[in-house]
Amino acid sequence: MASHGITRRPVSAAQSAKAREQERLKVEQYNALVAEVQTLRASNTYTTATLTTSSTLLSQNPEFNTIWNYRRRILLHLLSPMSADEKLKLLMSELEFLIPLLQSYPKCYWIWNYRIFLLQTCSEQLDVATALRVWKGEMKLVDKMLGRDARNFHGWGYRRGVVKEIEQLQGRISGEKEGEGSASLVEEEFAYTTAMYQKNLSNFSAWHNRSKLIPRLLDERNANVEERRTFLDGELGIMQEALFTDPYDQSLQLYHHWLISATCSPTSSAGTPSGEIVRLTPEQQLDILTRTLVWMKELLDEEPECRLLLEELIFVGSLTRGVAEANSGVTAEVSVDEVKGDMQAWLDKLIVVDPMRMGRWRELAERL
Amino acid sequence: MAAAVVFTNKPEELFVDKHVKYIQTLDTADKRLMSWADGVYWGLTALHLLGHPDALPRDETIKFVQSCQHENGGFGAHPSHDAHLLYTLSAVQILAMVDALDAINTDACVSYVRGLQKPSGVFAGDEWGEEDTRFVYTAIQTLKILGRLDAVDVGRAVEYVLGCQNYDGGFGLVPGAESHSGQIFTCLGVLSMTDSMDRLTTASKDQLAGWLAQRQLPNGGLNGRPEKLEDVCYSWWVMSSLAMLGKLHWIDRNKLVGFILSCQDEVRGGLADRKGDAVDVFHTVFGIAGLCLVGWGGLKEVDPVYCMPVETTKRLFGAK
């Protein structure tokens, strides 16, 4: 189907007769295997032997979703008369079978889906404590996958799913035994995003996950307004330092943009869902916005052609104007007229350094 | 929608005949395009957009699609494969393009799709229950083509999609998942098909369009999310999304065209993900569809919501 990153073979590279023969044999063997498994499937044969045959086929072609479905049916059939110990053993060996496949095909949806099915079957058919142990084991796999490819889309999505289920199972256990402590993993997961960005600042996935965790984190800490402000200052400080390290990094710009827009917009309806960090007074908003403009302008002196920085400056400038104009009683340290002039200059510069997005900047110019 | 764009063809060439030939040779005895429904959809859409709608045999195409429908009403990629929403939409799109929607059991198909909606509004891909925004898109488009959107809870489906929007304006697979151009296409598609685009604020639409425009890299190609490599298929996912937001002019068309054309196999036809890589029918259709969106001369107009020729969607839904 869709191939990615596979080098095109030149037309002149004619295959040798031997290679062609080998290729033909391989296709023939594969087709015979497909026919065998399809016959077994059509006759509703659900045995340990058919499980093995389907393993052979799926190892060769893990995109064959229908055969994964067949395997689900075989497995449910085999599990139904089993004791708890036998069930655990079979489910664990299934999880094991997938490891080399996931290593070879980390982006194949069907393998991940089958794995989630196995884990859900654990939750349904094993006792809570055992199921929890199995799910917790998954965290090691996720750590390994994300250690190898820190931006693996499936890896991050899978991690969120695993965390959610562990929290639910822990909730079920602590519901049975009062005072077992919190079922939430939000502190651990937040710390994980910290560890990930400390390894590599340029990790959009880690910043994204962080943004999703923060509202819950603050709620679960029962943070008051002062604590929330301190937290926000901490995050903004991290961003300031990080952007001085790499002002060209989009994931940093996006995260910073979110922090500012979620807390310093003149109206509470900023547009995109932001999650609650803290409600600031207009004075506090203007204080943050002014400080941000100061350090961003310093950075611009060092990197006068950085288009991401120019774009963000215009954004922060427009918020500053918005907040100041909506709260005329509040004295701002910056003059609105000065910000207006700066914004025009930044936009003029942006049109020069980012001609690819000219259409966007022209539109913005009309609005300013 | 943005105003139509008149594009001046640069000296570079789109090898139309070679691409037609490439897709036709996929349907020979050893390759058997007619053995996977999504492959037929990709190939047929490319041929329609290239202006060669009859390059695949119509009768055989219809017969193949019919043979993929299961008793439960859904379609498999092949008669011997289990039914799945992905192939159900491919089947219905194929029949829509060849104007043969009456060739299948519509009621059964509608009831299959309806049976996959969950209380949250999301749809599962099949009976085994994988749920995400891709399947909301496939379900809604299938029913829209069949004229049976009333069969499901559209309101809840829209709410689910809106719950997948992130701080960068983009959309993810499920609530909480990071933004990805493919999911942005499916989510904007759902909002468009259900006349719900006005549920997004102007600010969030602008932010999203800005994020999409950032996907263009200095070589002209588009990537799917920040700090990733360019790939021809994003010429569709990103550009169709920009088209739905009316912001196609926020990227550099000439540079994108240059990138897409550089991904052609100028000898055997077809397009690859990147220059010099092996071609496939998936990248072929999305590269060509991307060229259609920027108004490359000689190609048919494509509908950014449905990824089918405008001729087809006009016939189905009337002029917009």
Side-chain angles (χ1 to χ4, degrees), chain A residues 1-11 38 41 63-67 69-70 72-73 76 107 109-110 113 117 120 149 151-153 156-157 160 202-209 211-212 248-252 254-255 257-258 261 270-274 307-308 311 354-361 363 367, chain B residues 36 38 42 70 80-82 84 86-87 126-128 130 132 134 162 165-169 173 176-180 183 201 203-204 206-207 210-211 213-218 220 225-228 231 233 247 249-252 255 262-268 272-283:
Chain A
M1 271 203 249
S3 59
H4 289 95
I6 297 164
T7 312
R8 193 180 301 163
R9 270 201 321 237
V11 190
Q38 287 286 28
R41 177 175 156 264
E63 293 283 351
F64 206 154
N65 183 38
T66 298
I67 306 305
N69 292 346
Y70 177 37
R72 286 177 170 94
R73 292 193 184 94
L76 291 176
K107 291 182 175 177
Y109 276 96
W110 308 119
N113 292 346
F117 159 80
Q120 282 168 348
D149 174 6
R151 291 291 310 281
N152 185 319
F153 196 69
W156 280 97
R160 280 185 288 268
S202 181
N203 190 331
F204 182 65
S205 309
W207 294 115
H208 163 83
N209 215 30
S211 80
K212 292 289 175 186
Y248 293 89
D249 190 299
Q250 276 182 43
S251 40
L252 298 176
L254 284 164
Y255 185 71
H257 184 96
W258 170 65
S261 64
T272 41
S274 54
R307 61 176 176 86
L308 294 175
E311 183 186 338
D354 190 25
M356 285 207 301
R357 280 158 278 267
M358 182 79 80
R360 181 179 177 200
W361 308 133
E363 222 174 285
R367 247 184 283 165
Chain B
W36 29 302
D38 45 353
W42 292 327
H70 287 245
S80 69
H81 291 196
D82 288 348
H84 194 287
L86 290 174
Y87 314 116
D126 65 9
E127 61 183 298
W128 296 103
E130 185 194 7
D132 64 57
R134 288 175 302 160
L162 292 171
Q165 196 179 21
N166 292 316
Y167 69 73
D168 46 32
L173 271 174
E178 77 177 86
S179 300
H180 185 290
Q183 273 66 59
T201 62
S204 92
D206 273 2
Q207 198 187 353
W211 189 92
Q214 297 285 11
R215 307 279 58 77
Q216 190 166 36
L217 301 174
R225 45 194 180 119
E227 291 121 22
K228 287 282 177 180
D231 183 322
C233 65
K247 302 288 186 201
H249 57 290
W250 280 21
I251 58 110
D252 188 323
K255 284 201 137 191
S262 76
C263 297
Q264 299 178 98
D265 184 332
E266 64 281 7
V267 181
R268 290 165 295 195
D273 56 348
R274 277 184 285 281
K275 191 176 182 174
D277 283 352
V279 303
D280 58 62
V281 66
F282 174 89
H283 288 94

Side-chain angles (χ1 to χ4, degrees), chain A residues 33 50-64 67-72 74-75 88-105 110-112 114-115 117-118 138 141:
Chain A
L33 183 59
T50 52
L51 202 66
T52 312
T53 319
S54 81
S55 303
T56 315
L57 177 51
L58 288 167
S59 301
Q60 288 181 34
N61 181 6
E63 293 283 351
F64 206 154
I67 306 305
W68 286 115
N69 292 346
Y70 177 37
R71 196 176 179 89
R72 286 177 170 94
I74 300 172
L75 189 80
L88 178 63
K89 211 175 137 205
L90 179 57
L91 286 163
M92 290 308 282
S93 81
E94 283 295 283
L95 289 169
E96 197 58 39
F97 160 64
L98 300 182
I99 298 292
L101 288 180
L102 283 173
Q103 281 165 350
S104 306
Y105 308 94
W110 308 119
I111 310 175
W112 288 105
Y114 184 70
R115 194 168 185 90
F117 159 80
L118 291 173
E138 283 305 283
L141 172 78

Side-chain angles (χ1 to χ4, degrees), chain B residues 26-216:
Chain B
L26 290 176
D27 190 35
T28 50
D30 59 329
K31 291 186 179 142
R32 308 244 326 241
L33 180 66
M34 291 284 178
S35 63
W36 29 302
D38 45 353
V40 175
Y41 160 70
W42 292 327
L44 192 66
T45 306
L47 291 170
H48 273 255
L49 297 176
L50 288 165
H52 289 73
D54 303 321
L56 286 178
R58 183 174 184 272
D59 287 352
E60 201 192 318
T61 305
I62 295 170
K63 257 189 220 142
F64 168 69
V65 171
Q66 285 175 318
S67 72
C68 293
Q69 190 169 27
H70 287 245
E71 255 175 56
N72 66 10
F75 289 76
H78 179 271
S80 69
H81 291 196
D82 288 348
H84 194 287
L85 261 184
L86 290 174
Y87 314 116
T88 302
L89 173 60
S90 291
V92 170
Q93 285 177 310
I94 293 165
L95 296 180
M97 281 189 280
V98 302
D99 197 9
L101 281 170
D102 53 358
I104 51 155
N105 185 339
T106 302
D107 288 343
C109 185
V110 170
S111 110
Y112 174 75
V113 176
R114 183 175 42 215
L116 292 172
Q117 191 172 29
K118 304 294 162 189
S120 68
V122 72
F123 285 79
D126 65 9
E127 61 183 298
W128 296 103
E130 185 194 7
E131 300 166 2
D132 64 57
T133 47
R134 288 175 302 160
F135 307 130
V136 182
Y137 177 84
T138 39
I140 296 292
Q141 188 182 157
T142 302
L143 296 177
K144 181 95 180 180
I145 292 174
L146 297 175
R148 297 289 300 277
L149 256 189
D150 59 322
V152 292
D153 192 332
V154 172
R156 274 177 200 245
V158 169
E159 290 309 320
Y160 185 87
V161 163
L162 292 171
C164 294
Q165 196 179 21
N166 292 316
Y167 69 73
D168 46 32
F171 294 83
L173 271 174
V174 291
E178 77 177 86
S179 300
H180 185 290
S181 304
Q183 273 66 59
I184 293 170
F185 162 76
T186 60
C187 290
L188 291 182
V190 170
L191 298 178
S192 299
M193 288 186 282
T194 57
D195 300 320
S196 312
M197 281 294 269
D198 59 359
R199 295 290 305 276
L200 301 177
T201 62
T202 309
S204 92
K205 280 192 241 183
D206 273 2
Q207 198 187 353
L208 174 52
W211 189 92
L212 290 163
Q214 297 285 11
R215 307 279 58 77
Q216 190 166 36

